[in-house]
Amino acid sequence: MKIIVPMAGRGSRLRPHTLTVPKPLIPVAGKPIVHRLVEDIAGVLNQPIEEVAFIIHESFGKQVENDLIEIAQKLGAKGTIYYQNEALGTGHAIMCAKDSLSGSAVIAYADTLIRADFDLDTTADSVIWVKQVDKPEAFGVVNLNANGEIVELVEKPKEFVSDLAVIGIYYFKDVAILKNELQSVLDNNIIHGGEYQINDGIKQMMEKGMKFVPGKVDEWMDCGNKDVTVETNTRMLGFLHNDGEHLIDYDVKKENSTIIPPCYIGEDVVLINATVGPNVSLGKGCHVIDSEIKNSLVQTHAHIKNAKLDNAMIGNHASFDGNFKSISIGDYSVLE
């Protein structure tokens, strides 16, 4: 089994945090989004992972590439890096990794997190992960036949088709078939929304009678912008806390301070006259002094004092001193 992860864009909706760190590498509950995604998918598949292929922009740099390869290696898999340097769509991104498109594979976009527990239907040609939503008109949805098989993909339907939204994770029993269909999409210049789309390859597979079935997830968490990323951090902390994971470093330096779970507290964190939590992630090396923080995500080596924060997201090496409340500041920012 292979996992293919298109993650070429930095993520403009999450600026300024993605100006220095690509969105999939922003930590949620102490671990990068893409790291959690790959681990969760591997857990659902419950079978050996041979390779994890990442499609990135070349500007991400060698350190990011090394970090991604390490994620694959932790699963006992080979890590492979491919480049998509032009934003030409999901279908084009997948084809940038065409040398890895063989055998069974899961394709997963790296700006989402899931919680799922089901047996993968390996008799189907493909499984498309879906989640029941309240406002299907805002999503791409699947239409099912009487046998519960997917017979149609509909993008943002104006009239009700179904409430099962496509979340951007797909299983293919033989991903080489998708590769051939996407090659046809590229060769025939089939473009929607100015880009080459995975859906056009999937539709061609459906037209040839291939069996597509839905795989439902229990939780689907977005990391598209600051507010939903902070919300996802909160939800993930709750899940991990309920799972019994140890989220607070044993050597946190604490003076006249209180931690209200669930929280993630990384290595070398210093808390002085601070109340932290609930639903707070503090990355490695953070210092929090004379402050209250709740429902917030703080990356590494940030220094915060004289603050009362709620629904905040603070980047790496940022320095914040003040009485602002709902903020979003990126790496190396200073507010005094």
Side-chain angles (χ1 to χ4, degrees):
M1 179 70 71
K2 298 178 180 178
I3 301 176
I4 313 297
V5 187
M7 49 180 287
R10 282 188 173 271
S12 59
R13 290 188 299 151
L14 202 51
R15 291 175 180 167
H17 303 281
T18 52
L19 293 174
T20 54
V21 178
K23 179 168 64 174
L25 291 181
I26 288 177
V28 168
K31 189 178 291 185
I33 295 167
V34 68
H35 194 162
R36 287 202 178 280
L37 175 66
V38 170
E39 282 187 345
D40 289 345
I41 290 172
V44 169
L45 297 175
N46 196 28
Q47 55 184 284
I49 306 300
E50 167 193 346
E51 179 185 8
V52 184
F54 300 94
I55 301 103
I56 66 173
H57 195 282
E58 201 165 5
S59 66
F60 283 13
K62 291 300 177 184
Q63 184 56 55
V64 169
E65 294 180 22
N66 292 338
D67 291 344
L68 293 173
I69 289 172
E70 185 178 348
I71 290 170
Q73 291 173 341
K74 285 180 178 178
L75 294 173
K78 171 189 175 185
T80 311
I81 303 294
Y82 295 97
Y83 302 117
Q84 185 195 32
N85 289 328
E86 295 181 85
L88 296 178
T90 56
H92 177 268
I94 293 162
M95 288 300 288
C96 290
K98 61 184 177 181
D99 289 346
S100 294
L101 299 181
S102 61
S104 59
V106 167
I107 295 173
Y109 300 119
D111 59 354
T112 190
L113 290 171
I114 62 168
R115 300 281 285 187
D117 182 14
F118 64 90
D119 293 326
L120 185 68
D121 184 354
T122 54
T123 65
D125 294 300
S126 177
V127 178
I128 299 179
W129 270 262
V130 297
K131 179 72 172 72
Q132 194 169 28
V133 295
D134 293 331
K135 297 181 179 179
E137 66 274 11
F139 303 92
V141 301
V142 299
N143 193 9
L144 307 181
N145 63 15
N147 296 323
E149 298 172 357
I150 299 171
V151 293
E152 188 181 16
L153 295 173
V154 183
E155 186 64 28
K156 297 182 179 179
K158 294 180 180 179
E159 297 182 359
F160 183 83
V161 174
S162 87
D163 58 1
L164 297 177
V166 177
I167 69 170
I169 305 177
Y170 312 80
Y171 162 80
F172 295 91
K173 184 161 63 176
D174 183 0
V175 76
I177 298 173
L178 176 69
K179 177 173 72 170
N180 293 337
E181 299 302 335
L182 287 177
Q183 188 62 58
S184 171
V185 169
L186 296 178
D187 291 343
N188 291 287
N189 202 34
I190 299 172
I191 293 175
H192 288 98
E195 298 179 336
Y196 300 100
Q197 305 290 355
I198 185 177
N199 281 2
D200 289 311
I202 289 174
K203 289 174 182 177
Q204 292 177 182
M205 292 176 68
M206 288 180 177
E207 289 169 1
K208 294 178 178 177
M210 295 187 173
K211 179 183 176 182
F212 283 72
V213 300
K216 295 183 181 180
V217 298
D218 301 314
E219 298 286 346
W220 174 29
M221 294 163 281
D222 187 19
C223 299
N225 58 43
K226 170 252 180 179
D227 285 338
V228 297
T229 301
V230 171
E231 180 187 350
T232 290
N233 180 69
T234 291
R235 292 171 66 189
M236 185 59 69
L237 286 171
F239 295 137
L240 298 175
H241 180 74
N242 291 336
D243 290 345
E245 285 203 26
H246 185 80
L247 298 173
I248 299 174
D249 186 76
Y250 290 106
D251 296 324
V252 59
K253 296 178 177 62
K254 193 168 63 166
E255 178 183 314
N256 192 32
S257 296
T258 302
I259 298 172
I260 304 171
C263 286
Y264 169 82
I265 309 291
E267 299 176 1
D268 302 322
V269 168
V270 176
L271 305 177
I272 301 174
N273 300 323
T275 299
V276 174
N279 308 317
V280 172
S281 288
L282 294 178
K284 179 178 180 179
C286 287
H287 288 212
V288 180
I289 302 169
D290 298 324
S291 298
E292 298 178 19
I293 307 176
K294 61 182 178 180
N295 306 314
S296 296
L297 195 166
V298 182
Q299 296 187 53
T300 64
H301 303 287
H303 284 229
I304 300 166
K305 63 180 180 178
N306 303 319
K308 189 172 184 178
L309 301 179
D310 185 2
N311 187 37
M313 186 168 174
I314 296 178
N316 301 285
H317 299 276
S319 178
F320 178 76
D321 182 348
N323 293 309
F324 301 97
K325 187 176 181 184
S326 179
I327 65 167
S328 179
I329 60 176
D331 296 358
Y332 298 96
S333 301
V334 177
L335 294 176
E336 295 180 335

